[in-house]
Amino acid sequence: MPHRSRNPRRTRRSVTALLSAATASALLSGCFASGGGEAGGGPGGDGGPGDDGGRIRVAMMQPPRSGLSPLSDDAFKLSRWSTAETLVRLDPAGDALPSLATGWRQQGRTWTFTLREGVTFHDGSPLTSSDVVRSLSAAATASPKPRILDGVDLTVRADGPRSVTVTTTRADPLVPQRLSSPQLSILAARAYRGRGVNPVGAGTGPFVLVRADGTSSATLDRYDRYWGGRAKAPGIDVRYVPDGTARAAALRSGEADIVEAVPVSQAGLLDPALVTEVPMPRTNTLYLNTERGAFRDPALRAAAREAVDARSLVAGVYEGRADRAEGLLGPALPWAAKLRTPPRRAAAGDPKGATITIGTFSDRAELPEVAQLLQQQLREAGFEVELDVREYAHIEADALAGKFDAFVLSRATVLDSGDPAAYLYSDFAGDGSFNISQLSDAAVDSALSVAAATGTGEARRKAVVTAEAAVLATDAAVPLLHERVIQGDAENVVGAAHDPRERELVTVDTYVR
């Protein structure tokens, strides 16, 4: 990584960041003081006998967008707080392991899952097959469905009090991995009263969600009847801090114990002992609208792709804390590079001053700067470029509706199932629920269908890489770089998870000394 002293641009940004951090720290003062007990952070927290320390104060990047409904991306907050659980969990390699289900077997299109005994929900009711049927059926019939179920139709029925069967319209080798998605969490009956899904007091994890204060905060207390053993921390106090400088300032000032998504510009200003950097399956991609506007023309999509210089983005914006993308699937999936061959693409055309608007969001601090550099690169190639930058909650609907010519997105590629086929289908299938490129391509749909139907192992990996090549051949997406998790943990935090899939953060073993 280049030395800071030799980069005036970076030095100016560091000085600005330090000044902003001081301001943010003042604004954050006392923001963690209203949790379920006395704020943690050192000896003498509100722990009782057997507690290892005080409450854990967490600064998170994005506020909830759907009232913490598990049927939305908010489900990953519930998972990171260890309050909602699924039938299955994944090991680091993406293989399925027992969680609320202790085992499963397949027979054709049907999978039978045996439920764990001795599990209770946070309202004291026992886990039964009826609860599993209710939760999974709610997800399967939701509109829109959780993206892990894109292209998958399933039905669930009880097979006795401790067993459920899941049947799909086509044989699906990934059913266990799909059921590990936090969007398919199992909640108590109380969560499904009314029109939405309310997870407060309805999970099975080591921490019970006792209060959700909209887009400002959440409070969780330890659940002493947790089937997996007593949590070491008495509770978690969460604050949503979209501003990356403010999140870093909260760690620096001692206002937070754990900070997720530390911006690259702030990571170098923190004590290195407080920062953990983990390669992750997350790709920054420039999605191009194939349905309307300038990028309906494949030749102009090719021109945009050729104009992009990803090396400058990695070096300038990410200060070397990222990897330049060769495809949609990055170094967190090392088999992809070994199997990949260059796709056949259209020849670049002349933009002739075509006007385009690039959208992105400010929640991830680097993305607006990425968009600015892309604006420069595309202008040099002959495009007229405007930017539209908002918070994600205020821009997602427009992006999904195809209102931008291009959109810069930081996207996890194996977030849901541990398998990239689900991400590729969601983002690039004609009926994918997250198809920002508005892509509808027969060759892509065919390749995605083959990948989805192929059994796990080497054959599936080859099918996935073939599907990736079909997508890249359309230039509907220009992969830019692969991010790394940069997380901040105070020096007295023990056992915080550093999960490249961003499913875990505070676990049963996490505590503050």
Side-chain angles (χ1 to χ4, degrees):
M1 185 172 69
H3 296 292
R4 286 188 175 81
S5 60
R6 298 181 183 180
N7 191 330
R9 175 175 173 272
R10 187 178 304 165
T11 301
R12 289 195 300 272
R13 187 168 69 178
S14 298
V15 171
T16 301
L18 282 169
L19 294 173
S20 299
T23 302
S25 180
L27 292 173
L28 277 167
S29 181
C31 76
F32 284 93
S34 59
E38 181 181 338
D46 81 329
D51 292 338
D52 290 271
R55 298 176 63 84
I56 301 171
R57 302 164 301 170
V58 179
M60 302 198 75
M61 179 177 66
Q62 290 181 337
R65 298 195 297 274
S66 303
L68 292 176
S69 168
L71 304 182
S72 71
D73 278 349
D74 291 350
F76 293 88
K77 292 179 173 56
L78 305 177
S79 174
R80 285 168 74 72
W81 302 335
S82 291
T83 188
E85 297 179 306
T86 52
L87 293 181
V88 176
R89 62 186 180 89
L90 298 180
D91 69 8
D95 294 325
L97 296 176
S99 183
L100 295 181
T102 57
W104 48 88
R105 65 182 185 276
Q106 181 185 13
Q107 186 174 8
R109 297 182 294 110
T110 296
W111 292 76
T112 301
F113 293 83
T114 302
L115 303 186
R116 185 179 298 277
E117 296 185 3
V119 177
T120 59
F121 291 104
H122 295 151
D123 62 2
S125 60
L127 171 69
T128 69
S129 56
S130 296
D131 298 304
V132 175
V133 171
R134 181 188 306 108
S135 292
L136 296 185
S137 296
T141 58
S143 181
K145 290 194 296 188
R147 60 175 176 260
I148 191 62
L149 297 180
D150 277 349
V152 178
D153 291 318
L154 60 81
T155 56
V156 191
R157 65 176 178 84
D159 188 22
R162 315 290 324 155
S163 179
V164 296
T165 60
V166 177
T167 303
T168 54
T169 53
R170 296 189 300 255
D172 183 358
L174 276 189
V175 166
Q177 281 86 348
R178 292 185 193 280
L179 296 185
S180 76
S181 170
Q183 293 184 324
L184 302 184
S185 296
I186 309 302
L187 300 179
R190 63 180 290 170
Y192 300 93
R193 298 169 185 165
R195 298 180 60 183
V197 183
N198 183 358
V200 174
T204 59
F207 296 98
V208 53
L209 179 62
V210 296
R211 187 166 64 249
D213 294 326
T215 59
S216 61
S217 66
T219 303
L220 300 94
D221 291 339
R222 178 172 51 217
Y223 181 59
D224 289 333
R225 296 176 61 189
Y226 177 54
W227 62 267
R230 192 169 186 261
K232 292 183 177 180
I236 309 169
D237 296 320
V238 178
R239 294 295 181 272
Y240 308 115
V241 187
D243 182 83
T245 299
R247 286 197 305 280
L251 182 67
R252 187 181 297 109
S253 66
E255 287 289 320
D257 301 309
I258 299 175
V259 172
E260 69 169 8
V262 175
V264 168
S265 63
Q266 291 293 311
L269 305 178
L270 295 170
D271 182 344
L274 307 184
V275 178
T276 302
E277 188 173 331
V278 181
M280 67 186 305
R282 178 177 285 277
T283 303
N284 279 17
T285 302
L286 178 65
Y287 289 76
L288 303 180
N289 190 331
T290 64
E291 186 177 57
R292 63 175 69 95
F295 293 130
R296 186 176 181 180
D297 182 349
L300 293 193
R301 297 200 298 271
R305 183 240 309 152
E306 291 193 357
V308 170
D309 177 11
R311 287 186 177 87
S312 66
L313 301 178
V314 171
V317 179
Y318 285 83
E319 301 182 8
R321 297 178 185 263
D323 302 289
R324 187 172 66 87
E326 298 293 341
L328 294 165
L329 308 178
L333 301 172
W335 49 264
K338 298 175 183 178
L339 298 173
R340 182 180 292 127
T341 57
R344 293 183 178 180
R345 291 167 159 142
D350 185 352
K352 297 180 179 178
T355 299
I356 61 173
T357 299
I358 301 176
T360 194
F361 51 99
S362 57
D363 306 55
R364 288 189 175 272
E366 296 81 20
L367 293 189
E369 192 169 354
V370 168
Q372 289 172 0
L373 286 182
L374 290 175
Q375 181 184 43
Q376 296 173 15
Q377 293 172 4
L378 291 169
R379 280 177 172 171
E380 291 173 1
F383 291 95
E384 293 294 329
V385 187
E386 299 176 355
L387 299 183
D388 187 340
V389 181
R390 313 174 212 163
E391 288 188 7
Y392 188 80
H394 300 144
I395 203 170
E396 180 190 51
D398 285 348
L400 292 174
K403 294 185 178 181
F404 299 101
D405 299 293
F407 196 82
V408 182
L409 183 69
S410 173
R411 184 79 160 115
T413 58
V414 297
L415 185 66
D416 294 18
S417 67
D419 179 271
Y423 142 73
L424 291 171
Y425 195 101
S426 175
D427 284 33
F428 303 109
D431 61 348
S433 66
F434 211 76
N435 190 350
I436 289 178
S437 293
Q438 313 299 312
L439 182 63
S440 180
D441 184 276
V444 170
D445 287 349
S446 176
L448 291 172
S449 295
V450 170
T454 303
T456 56
E458 187 69 9
R460 186 177 183 88
R461 294 188 182 104
K462 290 180 179 179
V464 164
V465 171
T466 298
E468 178 200 46
V471 172
L472 293 176
T474 69
D475 282 323
V478 181
L480 305 174
L481 56 93
H482 306 292
E483 291 188 37
R484 302 170 188 169
V485 173
I486 305 178
Q487 180 175 314
D489 302 328
E491 60 182 355
N492 53 352
V493 171
V494 179
H498 302 109
D499 181 11
R501 295 192 192 103
E502 298 181 294
R503 290 185 174 198
E504 294 185 319
L505 183 63
V506 178
T507 75
V508 69
D509 293 318
T510 309
Y511 66 95
V512 178
R513 287 194 296 261

